[in-house]
Amino acid sequence: MNINIKTYVVFFILIFTLNACKTTSSTKWIEINQEPLDDTEKSDFTIIVEKKNSPEDEVNTYRGTTTMPISIERIAYVLDDTESKIEWVSRLKQENRLEGNPFSYHSIAYQHYNLLWPVSDRDYVIESKWSVMKDKKLPTVILSIKSIVRDTVPEVEGRVRGQLYRLVYKLEKLESNKTKVTVEVMVNPKGLLPNFMINLIQKEWPITTLRQLNAQALKGTEIHEKLRNDL
């Protein structure tokens, strides 16, 4: 009887410990990669990629952090410019602004991504919100994007409606022309793609996105005027 009780107690402690470890690992950022910001020539800046493990039935969250030799107002302009997004956002074929004025702090848009056969195209209805953080040591702005449901935007035949749980860009002004950029994403493209395949694809997403955002921002000089005035 005592042996059975001891066995039960040991078993209970083991299960509790495993669950605690699993919970801890799911909430801790783990560095998985470092790459130069510019992939065509020697770069002064590095992209650090991290992941946060999710429960087995969900996709992971990925984060990329770097410094760009560009003003915070210029980067914000590129992030908010609907017309130029198809030039730098991978696989984006179309973005239509449904609500909100250009370069305001709130908008709703429809996005269509053209994926390679045999994977079906994906689309999203997204809500974007800018926030100017007044309580930070450095001038900081955050762009938060997530999927929403709009009855006026029904699903399209031949496209899979994906779920963007969170996409967050955090911009911190280091100098007039130097900005720390952090991007965090958790997205499920839905469809028949298994989670391990989604995670395999998404772990490269921060590098691709930050490189292309940097390259696009270097092409012009337009800035987000409202954001500059509010910083």
Side-chain angles (χ1 to χ4, degrees), residues 56 80 98 123 138 170 227:
E56 294 179 0
D80 217 18
L98 305 176
D123 66 1
L138 296 173
K170 182 179 180 182
L227 186 144

Side-chain angles (χ1 to χ4, degrees), residues 53-106:
N53 293 329
S54 297
E56 294 179 0
D57 59 341
E58 295 182 8
V59 294
N60 294 332
T61 304
Y62 292 90
R63 181 170 70 182
T65 304
T66 192
T67 299
M68 296 184 183
I70 307 166
S71 73
I72 189 171
E73 298 90 352
R74 173 59 187 163
I75 297 171
Y77 177 94
V78 174
L79 289 173
D80 217 18
D81 184 21
T82 299
E83 293 184 3
S84 70
K85 281 186 183 178
I86 59 174
E87 299 177 13
W88 68 274
V89 178
S90 294
R91 296 292 172 185
L92 179 63
K93 185 175 182 179
Q94 171 192 7
E95 176 169 299
N96 296 332
R97 190 182 294 261
L98 305 176
E99 296 180 20
N101 297 322
F103 306 107
S104 60
Y105 280 177
H106 177 263

Side-chain angles (χ1 to χ4, degrees), residues 182-196:
T182 303
V183 62
E184 180 180 329
V185 65
M186 182 181 184
V187 60
N188 190 338
K190 299 294 186 177
L192 299 178
L193 288 174
N195 286 346
F196 82 89

Side-chain angles (χ1 to χ4, degrees), residues 110-123:
Y110 171 81
Q111 292 184 329
H112 169 207
Y113 289 82
N114 181 22
L115 303 185
L116 294 174
W117 185 90
V119 180
S120 299
D121 285 7
R122 261 52 177 183
D123 66 1

